[in-house]
Every structure is written in structure tokens, then in C-alpha cells.
Amino acid sequence: MSLPDPALVVLVGASGSGKSTWAAAHYRAEEVASSDTLRGIVGSGPHDLDASTDAFALLESIVTARLGRRLTTVVDTLGFDPARRLGWLALARAAGLPGVVVVLETPDAECRRRNASRDRPVPASVLAGQLRRSREVAGELDGEGWDVVLRVAAEGAPPVPAVETARAAEHRTASTGVEVLLHVSRFPWGEEPMTWLRDIALAADEAGFAGLSLMDHLIQIPQVGRVWDPIPEPWVALGAIAAQGTSLRLGTLCTPVTFRPPGITAKAAATLSALTGGRAFLGIGAGWWEREHAAFGLPFPSAPERLDELEYSIRAMRALWAPGTKAYASDGVFLPETTCYPRPSAPVQVLVGGGGELRTLRIAAELGDACNLTTSDPAVLRHKVEVLRRHCADVGRDPSEVAVTVLDLPVVGRDRDDVWRRVEALRGRTAAATFAARTHAGTVAEHRDRHARLAALGVSQVFLSTPDLAGPEDVLALAGLTT
Ligand code: GDP
Ligand code: MG
């Protein structure tokens, strides 16, 4: 920036637009005539409005005296009064100095934010009036005969937009009849974990997915990757994703009940719900991988004990999410109080992971909002759904209250060539035909047909996880499955 010097420099902008800061950055303190500073000199402080008349009289004297000596003079007031502006310009002209006006074009929201964080904020209604007036003034200046009209955009950090946490979950059921959520189990994020997570979440939102789930394991599982591949703590990662302002429902698939005491999981899910305006869900299961428990010093009880724990945990979490703070004592769960704030902003969908017919599906029928099956084989699926329905009848639960969801692990390609290229790259030592059949390898169109068949079997949500998902472009390539 190169402004004429010496010159008259008149600042224009609402409170908090950064006039004094800009002046201090470009001029010596003695060159700046500030109405606030002068109020502080002749009154009790910069905000002493009773001192305004005296302060402005002084300001006029200072401007007149300095311009008369052909000294650079910066006028730091709101700058909204056209008669005053033209008076100063006339003084400059009389002294043979150029007249510069500097408009601080800081966004309204940023002015409000800065004003609110001041010790003595201008009342909100006053600031609103100033912001309106500053837009009018911007149009008046061009006709006033200034030598330079400089418009200054907000400097420094760009204003941080509010995260739209209150965005409601949208119902994004595809025309195939199922809602498709992206399940992320591998994290090839290189050196930029946060960038990668953000890009995946934004791509999932853009591609029309109804939600995003993260796998919950302490060590990357052999089915997905290598033990030294990164596998983040999912509630921390979901908190970061929650800050990206999407409409995605967010949760884990599935949290082993053995990892965290149920109250801590309830707390995490309730917090995520509060942060997202009610878009949190919780997949929970009995856990299965002994190694990660041993490695992290966690007990790994027998399967029947873990299933008992699953049942106990869901009851305890539901008690903690329920209104009120009363004690809870029922079915072997005893909590002396249920004080858990923040409460979830909307009911947290509980998906019970696993297809165990004797107990897991019974727990889903009795306590879950959904079961989550890891098969998308039609014959197996039909049978599991029958078992679930029978448990519902046994425990007196309306089967329409227990959704059938599946974890779907397909290979998806752009066309036939791309499908086979992927199968070849992924199959390892498994025969190509076997691997292709197991992963339903096919194009988006073929998977749409398959999803429609799943819907016909009663499946309402598909958690889609492709084995070669590396970045956001792979997510966007799946968009055809969500419409
Ligand atoms: P005035 O009321 O227009 O004189 O505004 P000030 O210059 O007093 O600035 C108001 C607040 O905004 C102060 O806390 C400044 O530190 C801050 N501020 C001013 N200009 C900038 C800027 O360019 N960037 C940032 N990040 N903050 C600024
Ligand atoms: Mg100021």
C-alpha cells in the first residue's frame, strides 16, 4: 500500500472494524486524532459518552492545527457524518494536502464477535445501526471528491464461521430403499490426519451418504490392514469430524463393550450428540479380538460374560441418557444416580453388532434400536432376520422398532475392467473368482441392484466400506449408491 504522505486520512467503519488497529499499524501515535482517546483525556475514559462534545471540539482543533501545518493527520472516529468529513477535506484542500478515506470493510459477524469480546462492548442494537450506516456511507464517498478511497478487507486470520452443529440429520434414503452410510476402517492419512479426515467427511456429505461410522479397534485388525497402520480413537476422531459442518450422522461401528466402562461410552455418545445437534449413533458389540485387549491391559472375559456385559451396558447407557437424575436399579444394573449432562440432543441410535443367534440378536431385539449384521448374503440374511423377528415376538417388542442394518464390504469399480483390476489388486492369495464373489465385486449399478434386494429382505441401513478406500475421490466415486 502506498498512500500520499503527508495527507489527511479519514477512517470509516463500525466499532470493532479495526480502525484504531489499522491506524496504529501505519502511523505514529501523534499523527492519529481519535475521538475515543480524546474522550479518555477530557472524560472518564474512551467510552464516556458525556465527554463527546468536548472530545469532538478538541478533535476539530487538532485536525485544524495539524493540517494548517501540512502535517499528516489521521482522523479515527466512526467517520459516518458527511458534514464533518467534508469539513476535514476542505481543511486539507486549503492546506494543499490530498484527502484519503480508508473504509474498513470487516464483515459484520467479525465486528460483532470483536465487539462482544471487548471489556466495554457497544450495545448490540447500537452496533447493528452502525453496521447499517457503514453500508450507506460506502456509497456516499465516491461523490465527495476524495483523492483516494482505500477499502481495507479484514486483515489477519479470516473470520471463523460458526459450525452448523444444529444442522439436523437429513433423511437420505436412496431410491434403492436403503440408507447408505460410509464406514471407515482404514486411515491412510499420511502426514495430514486432520486434513484427510476432513476431506473424507466432506466428500461423504457431498456424495449424499446419510452418515459416517468409524471402526473402533485399538490395533488395526488383520482383515483390514497391518498392525502398524494408524487406527484412531474413534470418539476423538468423530469430535474432529463433527466440527466440519456436515449433515452426516456420526458414530462407531462397533464399539467393543470391553473397551470403556458403559458410563464413559454413554458420555462420549451424549457429547457427540450435543455437538452435532443430535446426529450421534452408537454401534456396540461384545468384542472379539483377544490380542488388542491383552496389548492394552484390558480384561477379556469369556464370550458369555462379554454378552452379559453388553446387555448390562446398554441398560446403563439408556438410564444415563434418560431425563432426570434419579437412581436406576433394574435387571442387575444399579446406578445410585443418573446425572449425565449434556444429555443427547436426540435419541442415540443403538446398533447391536453381531449375528449370534442365541444371545446377540436377542439383545438387539430387547434393547437395541437396530441389529448390525456383517453378512449381505441373501440366504444367511433372510435367516438372521427371521431369528431377530422371533426374538422380538418372544420379548414383546414391535419388530418395526428394531432396524436391520448390515456392514457391507464390497469391491466397487467404475466399469467391468476397473472392477477386475481392483479384484486383482486386493485378492492376495485368495482365488480371483472366490474373492470377487465374496466381495460382490461389481459396478455401482450392480451394487444398486444388490442394495435393492437387501431392502426387500428388510434391511434399512447399509454401512458401506470398500477395501481400497484411500481418499475423498474414492468416496465421491460411490455417490451413485446414495441416490
Ligand atoms: P475500531 O473499533 O474500529 O477502532 O476497532 P479496533 O481497531 O479497536 O479493533 C477492535 C478489535 O479487533 C481489537 O481487539 C483488535 O485487536 C481486533 N482487530 C482489529 N483489526 C484486526 C485484524 O485485522 N485482524 C484481527 N484478527 N483482529 C483485528
Ligand atoms: Mg477505535
Side-chain angles (χ1 to χ4, degrees):
M1 181 198 66
S2 151
L3 288 175
D5 198 17
L8 161 70
V9 181
V10 174
L11 306 182
V12 172
S15 296
S17 61
K19 300 180 297 297
S20 306
T21 305
W22 187 88
H26 296 93
Y27 294 95
R28 295 185 300 121
E30 292 77 6
E31 293 172 317
V32 182
S34 151
S35 49
D36 281 355
T37 305
L38 292 169
R39 274 194 202 94
I41 291 172
V42 296
S44 64
H47 307 285
D48 185 357
L49 294 180
D50 295 339
S52 284
T53 307
D54 288 337
F56 271 93
L58 262 178
L59 184 127
E60 291 297 332
S61 302
I62 293 167
V63 173
T64 306
R66 288 189 63 86
L67 290 177
R69 292 190 175 81
R70 302 175 43 81
L71 293 171
T72 286
T73 307
V74 181
V75 187
D76 180 8
T77 67
L78 291 172
F80 291 163
D81 182 342
R84 282 216 173 95
R85 283 198 305 270
L86 291 171
W88 299 324
L89 184 58
L91 291 171
R93 290 268 177 274
L97 291 190
V100 175
V101 69
V102 177
V103 187
L104 280 292
E105 293 194 321
T106 307
D108 292 6
E110 179 68 4
C111 292
R112 279 192 217 98
R113 195 187 62 72
R114 291 183 191 166
N115 181 54
S117 64
R118 283 183 150 163
D119 293 343
R120 298 278 306 262
V122 172
S125 58
V126 173
L127 183 60
Q130 289 181 6
L131 292 168
R132 261 197 311 281
R133 179 72 189 121
S134 69
R135 271 185 288 279
E136 294 168 10
V137 172
E140 296 168 6
L141 298 170
D142 288 333
E144 293 182 353
W146 298 91
D147 297 288
V148 179
V149 178
L150 177 67
R151 298 189 153 82
V152 179
E155 274 172 36
V160 180
V163 177
E164 293 181 65
T165 49
R167 265 170 78 172
E170 288 168 19
H171 274 280
R172 289 179 164 178
T173 304
S175 57
T176 51
V178 293
E179 226 180 21
V180 186
L181 295 86
L182 182 71
H183 177 68
V184 183
S185 55
R186 54 201 304 275
F187 302 84
W189 57 30
E191 299 300 311
E192 299 283 354
M194 190 60 245
T195 305
W196 191 88
L197 277 181
R198 179 199 63 196
D199 291 351
I200 292 288
L202 294 179
D205 202 37
E206 184 183 336
F209 283 96
L212 188 153
S213 59
L214 296 185
M215 190 164 80
D216 194 352
H217 279 291
L218 299 168
I219 300 175
Q220 180 55 283
I221 60 173
Q223 296 88 327
V224 175
R226 300 159 303 184
V227 289
W228 58 86
D229 288 336
I231 171 88
E233 204 290 324
W235 297 104
V236 173
L238 289 167
I241 292 172
Q244 307 307 322
T246 70
S247 294
L248 299 166
R249 292 209 299 274
L250 300 175
T252 55
L253 202 74
C254 282
T255 283
V257 73
T258 43
F259 280 8
R260 306 168 190 84
I264 302 304
T265 301
K267 191 69 163 176
T271 302
L272 187 66
S273 179
L275 294 179
T276 57
R279 289 182 280 112
F281 62 84
L282 167 68
I284 189 155
W288 53 266
W289 201 24
E290 200 274 338
R291 174 175 169 182
E292 62 188 338
H293 293 79
F296 281 73
L298 297 172
F300 187 66
S302 69
E305 288 171 301
R306 299 200 307 278
L307 286 161
D308 288 346
E309 214 177 303
L310 180 59
E311 207 176 312
Y312 163 94
S313 293
I314 298 174
R315 290 186 201 282
M317 292 189 298
R318 290 204 185 282
L320 287 164
W321 290 332
T325 61
K326 53 193 176 300
Y328 181 86
S330 173
D331 298 292
V333 181
F334 175 71
L335 301 169
E337 60 176 319
T338 49
T339 307
C340 178
Y341 296 95
R343 289 242 173 69
S345 300
V348 176
Q349 182 195 23
V350 176
L351 304 97
V352 177
E357 296 180 13
L358 226 50
R359 291 213 49 204
T360 308
L361 289 178
R362 189 172 185 94
I363 294 170
E366 198 175 355
L367 300 169
D369 300 302
C371 67
N372 183 253
L373 302 166
T374 50
T375 179
S376 41
D377 177 293
V380 180
L381 198 58
R382 189 175 292 115
H383 172 69
K384 299 281 180 193
V385 172
E386 272 171 25
V387 172
L388 178 74
R389 300 280 186 256
R390 231 179 294 133
H391 282 307
C392 285
D394 273 3
V395 300
R397 184 92 186 272
D398 177 350
S400 73
E401 289 177 7
V402 189
V404 178
T405 76
V406 298
L407 174 61
D408 191 27
L409 308 164
V411 168
V412 186
R414 279 185 306 280
D415 51 36
R416 212 173 153 71
D417 278 345
D418 187 40
V419 170
W420 279 97
R421 192 184 53 73
R422 287 170 194 263
V423 166
E424 211 37 45
L426 292 165
R427 71 183 178 86
R429 281 195 286 272
T430 310
T434 309
F435 184 81
R438 186 195 298 154
T439 58
H440 314 284
T443 61
V444 165
E446 286 164 336
H447 288 294
R448 283 185 63 88
D449 291 345
R450 196 169 55 80
H451 283 180
R453 290 195 293 276
L454 292 179
L457 291 171
V459 173
S460 59
Q461 287 181 344
V462 171
F463 290 82
L464 189 82
S465 185
T466 52
D468 48 2
L469 187 128
E473 54 294 337
D474 299 319
V475 177
L476 293 172
L478 302 170
L481 286 164
T482 68
T483 52

